[in-house]
Amino acid sequence: PRGRLVCTRHNSASMFDDPHKLASVGGFLLLAHAVSLVISYREDLKISGIEFAGVPLFVLAECLIGSLCCTWGALGFSGEFQPIAQQPRELPPDNMEKMHDFVTFNHRGTGKTRKE
Amino acid sequence: MSADGKKLTFVDPEKVANNARVNDTVFQFLSIVSGIVCGILGYTDLKGLGAFFVFNCVIGAAVCAKLKGDVKSHFPSWDKIFVAGASASAGTFILFWTLFYNICHLF
């Protein structure tokens, strides 16, 4: 009947269903935490008057683990590689009659063969 | 066989374009990550440039690992992975490298 409301349910895959996307998000969160650690480390160095020589080991470890998580995630959600070799495909069956390109039936010979 | 006797391989252009798109996506995303890491570690000048090349080699190796070493079946040549990916991601790397270096070490 007209005016009836139809409710459809969309089966959309959310980000939390894909482990690769979750790994990428986790990797970014680790890198964000590493950023905060470096900022606080630099502030401590400024207070103590020591010159910055390099980041601490735990920051390096967080960067490494975050990068690995993001790498695994990117390789998963970016898509699949496909072989580029063209697959042989079947041609359509050649069962059509051989026809000329151009056929005309209204020519001078028609008059000879026409039965009156 | 071609007229000069060379063996011809027929490729599907749609699949070539798909593989190039996937490769670009991987390199773009991981160039963001590598730019952030370089900014956090405080790399400048040639150190950062060297890190860019090292990271791109690692990303290309990761793509080859996903292909299980069978590059010839998925790409016309090796440079379609490394050179195309690095050239597409250079600007993104520099952007995030400078941004996160400024955030972590300057401001």
Side-chain angles (χ1 to χ4, degrees):
Chain A
R2 290 174 66 182
R4 185 176 177 184
L5 183 66
V6 177
C7 180
T8 57
R9 186 177 176 187
H10 297 280
N11 290 327
S12 59
S14 69
M15 193 189 70
F16 299 105
D17 295 336
D18 190 359
H20 296 284
K21 289 182 182 174
L22 280 177
S24 301
V25 170
F28 271 115
L29 289 175
L30 273 174
L31 291 175
H33 187 250
V35 168
S36 65
L37 286 177
V38 166
I39 291 172
S40 61
Y41 177 70
R42 288 281 291 202
E43 283 177 1
D44 292 342
L45 287 182
K46 275 182 195 171
I47 293 169
S48 54
I50 303 172
E51 205 174 305
F52 175 75
V55 296
L57 210 59
F58 52 88
V59 171
L60 198 63
E62 274 204 28
C63 287
L64 187 65
I65 295 169
S67 305
L68 287 174
C69 290
C70 287
T71 303
W72 185 77
L75 290 174
F77 71 70
S78 58
E80 291 299 323
F81 291 108
Q82 297 170 352
I84 59 173
Q86 188 138 36
Q87 301 301 320
R89 50 193 173 90
E90 287 185 12
L91 293 173
D94 186 21
N95 56 1
M96 294 181 67
E97 293 178 2
K98 300 280 183 206
M99 295 189 70
H100 297 290
D101 289 336
F102 177 74
V103 179
T104 181
F105 297 100
N106 191 20
H107 50 81
R108 291 181 296 176
T110 311
K112 284 187 178 177
T113 58
R114 190 180 299 153
K115 293 180 182 176
E116 292 185 16
Chain B
M1 298 285 276
S2 62
D4 53 356
K6 289 183 183 175
K7 191 177 177 182
L8 298 175
T9 306
F10 293 96
V11 296
D12 192 345
E14 286 183 5
K15 292 180 182 172
V16 171
N18 172 72
N19 291 351
R21 182 183 51 79
V22 173
N23 187 52
D24 275 351
T25 303
V26 171
F27 268 85
Q28 290 270 8
F29 183 81
L30 293 180
S31 69
I32 295 173
V33 173
S34 54
I36 293 173
V37 169
C38 280
I40 290 172
L41 298 179
Y43 288 163
T44 56
D45 298 331
L46 290 176
K47 235 181 180 180
L49 189 64
F52 172 71
F53 285 114
V54 169
F55 276 118
N56 274 283
C57 289
V58 170
I59 295 167
V63 169
C64 293
K66 184 175 179 178
L67 295 172
K68 292 172 189 168
D70 190 12
V71 175
K72 288 280 174 69
S73 302
H74 296 85
F75 287 91
S77 58
W78 286 85
D79 65 311
K80 297 295 180 199
I81 299 176
F82 289 91
V83 177
S87 59
S89 63
T92 308
F93 172 83
I94 291 172
L95 172 68
F96 282 88
W97 173 29
T98 52
L99 177 65
F100 278 84
Y101 180 86
N102 293 340
I103 290 172
C104 295
H105 301 280
L106 292 183
F107 301 133

